Amino acid sequence: MTPKQKRVLDFILGFVEEHGFQPSQMEIAQGCGFESLGTVQHYLRSLERHGLLARQANAKRGLQLTANPPCLPFAKGATLTAGTIAKGGTVTPPPLGANVTFLELPLVGIVAAGKPVHAFELADAIEVPSAMAGPGNVVYEVRGDSMVEMGIMDGDYVAVHPQSVAENGQTVIAEVNGSITIKKYQRKGNIIQLLPANAAMSPIMVTEDDEFHIRGILVGSMRFYRKWTGKSST
Amino acid sequence: MTPKQKRVLDFILGFVEEHGFQPSQMEIAQGCGFESLGTVQHYLRSLERHGLLARQANAKRGLQLTANPPCLPFAKGATLTAGTIAKGGTVTPPPLGANVTFLELPLVGIVAAGKPVHAFELADAIEVPSAMAGPGNVVYEVRGDSMVEMGIMDGDYVAVHPQSVAENGQTVIAEVNGSITIKKYQRKGNIIQLLPANAAMSPIMVTEDDEFHIRGILVGSMRFYRKWTGKSST
DNA sequence: CGAGGATACTCGTAAGTTTTTCGTAAGTCA
DNA sequence: TGACTTACGAAAAACTTACGAGTATCCTCG
């Protein structure tokens, strides 16, 4: 982004902050010292291409800022109003004041995909699609790379359905000697193995001496990217 | 919201504050300097559409202000909104300032992570956490394995923020000769490359002869697992 | 180092749309 | 009936879009 572009963006931002509504193109021109609307037009298009701004066609003052999207604008527990997309594609605005509670799951621990880390509890919450929600479900943040071959990477969030038994091949979140880890479950007779999905790592053998129990199995995973890098984040 | 609309709203707000009851339409007209009731009528409808006001049909002084009124929706100018899917695949934004955060984004196509597949439009919607929502954002379903090393696998859903330019290293959803694909973006001078995250695949070179444009960049990804298998699904 | 080529930046004007406004007539409610 | 609220229709004003074109800057390459 060029300095000029940033200036225009900042102007819009400040204008909205001050007035409570979006500036018209003429106001932007005056505010930024442009003689021509064409110039404003140019910058608006430019910002739009960069994804920092969205415009509604032909709408007066129809600018919508997206710059540094307030990543988690709503505190946990906040209730928001939701809309539905009806079949056929029209957006049905929600009935006024119909508050829908967000689907949030508690974030209760950090899972080690590599070496087990000590289990600890967090008092936080993560929004999830309803398909990942369910009674008792919780979200873990993944630490380590042992599941990369299954597409679960360091920093990912996984939604977990609580249950204490598993079938072979399922991905489980399990506690082994006080440490919590995410692995594939494999059992033959009395021999339980926790298999990583990473060729560079070796399975964990669970013996009778180990304190072991399954916390739940994987029902979903999510990853958030920062706009300005290609990297995973949070 | 336009300045006039805001002024009417502010007037009503102030009137209620001062008198303890709602103004009649005539009082609004006088207070805001309108000659005609039709004008008031117009604004009332407008505010109602924006969800800032509710009216009881035919009730005298039957205006009801929405809770926590003008603060959130417009203040930031960055309302989180999703769009509608029109036939043919264009996404139309919802009415300005609609006071809603959508939990759903339109699912508009299937991205090829391996070989590009032909772009096609779907009329469906996918729930996402609000951190993945934003004006114009859409969701794609991933086909192919070219991004496995970044943890994006066949069947995953990716949330995309629309923009037509990208910086080196960002993961983009791009259209090349009518096919749509997800790759890492790399540009040196005039040479644009689309790099897969899979050692077994080779980059796509974009030449001047190719019809090429970026649809957006990656902001999030999700995967759903079936409970009774360990496999990815849907 | 200079030429050539992209990119950023700027102006103006002529459509094309939406908002804003007025007035008048009809419908409601107590 | 009186006091309000709804319902068009229509014209002016305010804004947004669509071109077309002309500088200035920076970078690359021979």
Side-chain angles (χ1 to χ4, degrees):
Chain A
M1 183 158 64
T2 69
K4 290 279 187 177
Q5 284 173 11
K6 180 166 172 48
R7 181 168 163 213
V8 172
L9 189 63
D10 284 345
F11 173 78
I12 298 173
L13 214 77
F15 190 101
V16 170
E17 196 111 341
E18 181 178 349
H19 294 83
F21 52 86
Q22 296 88 338
S24 70
Q25 292 183 4
M26 185 59 101
E27 286 163 338
I28 295 174
Q30 288 168 354
C32 296
F34 300 138
E35 296 292 318
S36 167
L37 287 238
T39 309
V40 178
Q41 215 30 231
H42 166 75
Y43 282 108
L44 255 32
R45 221 174 335 242
S46 172
L47 291 171
E48 192 177 26
R49 278 155 44 87
H50 285 258
L52 297 163
L53 193 63
R55 296 196 285 174
Q56 298 176 252
N58 289 321
K60 296 175 190 296
R61 301 170 187 275
L63 304 176
Q64 293 183 305
L65 300 184
T66 7
N68 47 322
C71 274
L72 296 176
F74 304 103
K76 62 179 179 182
T79 57
L80 296 175
T81 321
T84 47
I85 298 182
K87 280 276 185 265
T90 43
V91 167
T92 323
L96 196 60
N99 279 336
V100 173
T101 308
F102 246 60
L103 293 171
E104 295 186 320
L105 296 183
L107 180 65
V108 297
I110 291 197
V111 171
K115 289 178 183 168
V117 296
H118 197 65
F120 65 100
E121 308 292 330
L122 294 174
D124 207 347
I126 296 285
E127 289 171 37
V128 299
S130 63
M132 295 187 194
N137 283 17
V138 295
V139 170
Y140 292 83
E141 188 181 341
V142 175
R143 280 293 141 78
D145 285 319
S146 80
M147 298 299 282
V148 288
E149 285 164 24
M150 274 188 58
I152 296 171
M153 315 189 75
D154 194 69
D156 284 11
Y157 294 94
V158 292
V160 174
H161 178 77
Q163 60 184 66
S164 55
V165 296
E167 291 174 32
N168 284 343
Q170 282 187 323
T171 303
V172 301
I173 282 71
E175 206 172 328
V176 186
N177 299 324
S179 298
I180 190 164
T181 185
I182 177 172
K183 292 284 186 304
K184 266 196 189 170
Y185 181 80
Q186 189 67 240
R187 172 179 174 174
K188 263 181 201 162
N190 265 347
I191 304 173
I192 294 174
Q193 286 189 105
L194 299 178
L195 309 170
N198 184 334
M201 300 188 172
S202 39
I204 296 177
M205 292 281 199
V206 179
T207 72
E208 283 202 348
D209 296 334
D210 292 316
E211 179 219 329
F212 168 79
H213 74 267
I214 296 172
R215 284 206 168 190
I217 67 171
L218 185 63
V219 295
S221 68
M222 300 188 302
R223 178 161 52 239
F224 301 93
Y225 297 85
R226 286 262 149 83
K227 246 175 55 182
W228 17 275
T229 88
K231 289 282 296 177
S232 159
S233 70
T234 316
Chain B
M1 181 160 65
T2 69
K4 292 281 186 177
Q5 285 170 13
K6 181 168 167 55
R7 181 167 161 212
V8 172
L9 185 63
D10 286 344
F11 173 79
I12 298 174
L13 219 75
F15 190 101
V16 170
E17 195 114 341
E18 183 177 347
H19 295 81
F21 54 86
Q22 296 88 342
S24 72
Q25 292 185 3
M26 186 57 101
E27 286 164 335
I28 295 174
Q30 288 168 354
C32 296
F34 301 139
E35 296 290 318
S36 166
L37 278 296
T39 310
V40 179
Q41 211 34 229
H42 165 78
Y43 283 111
L44 255 31
R45 228 184 320 255
S46 172
L47 291 171
E48 193 176 24
R49 274 211 326 268
H50 289 181
L52 295 164
L53 198 62
R55 297 195 286 177
Q56 302 173 257
N58 293 319
K60 303 183 185 205
R61 300 177 186 275
L63 302 177
Q64 288 183 318
L65 298 182
T66 306
N68 59 324
C71 311
L72 273 175
F74 304 112
K76 272 314 198 183
T79 50
L80 294 176
T81 49
T84 14
I85 314 169
K87 280 280 185 255
T90 44
V91 175
T92 33
L96 180 63
N99 179 19
V100 285
T101 299
F102 287 98
L103 298 172
E104 295 186 321
L105 292 184
L107 179 66
V108 298
I110 290 199
V111 171
K115 288 179 185 168
V117 296
H118 198 65
F120 66 100
E121 311 292 334
L122 294 175
D124 207 347
I126 295 286
E127 288 174 39
V128 299
S130 65
M132 294 187 193
N137 282 18
V138 295
V139 171
Y140 291 83
E141 188 180 341
V142 175
R143 281 292 142 79
D145 284 320
S146 80
M147 298 299 282
V148 287
E149 286 164 24
M150 274 188 59
I152 297 172
M153 315 188 76
D154 194 69
D156 284 12
Y157 294 93
V158 292
V160 175
H161 177 78
Q163 60 185 68
S164 55
V165 295
E167 289 173 36
N168 284 344
Q170 283 186 322
T171 302
V172 301
I173 282 70
E175 207 173 328
V176 186
N177 299 324
S179 299
I180 190 163
T181 185
I182 177 172
K183 292 284 186 305
K184 267 198 188 168
Y185 181 79
Q186 188 66 241
R187 171 180 175 173
K188 262 183 203 159
N190 263 347
I191 303 173
I192 296 174
Q193 286 189 104
L194 300 178
L195 310 170
N198 183 334
M201 299 190 174
S202 39
I204 296 178
M205 290 278 197
V206 179
T207 72
E208 283 200 349
D209 296 334
D210 292 318
E211 180 219 329
F212 168 79
H213 76 266
I214 296 173
R215 286 205 167 189
I217 68 172
L218 185 63
V219 296
S221 67
M222 300 187 304
R223 178 162 51 238
F224 302 95
Y225 297 84
R226 288 260 151 83
K227 254 174 38 183
W228 15 277
T229 89
K231 288 284 296 178
S232 157
S233 68
T234 317

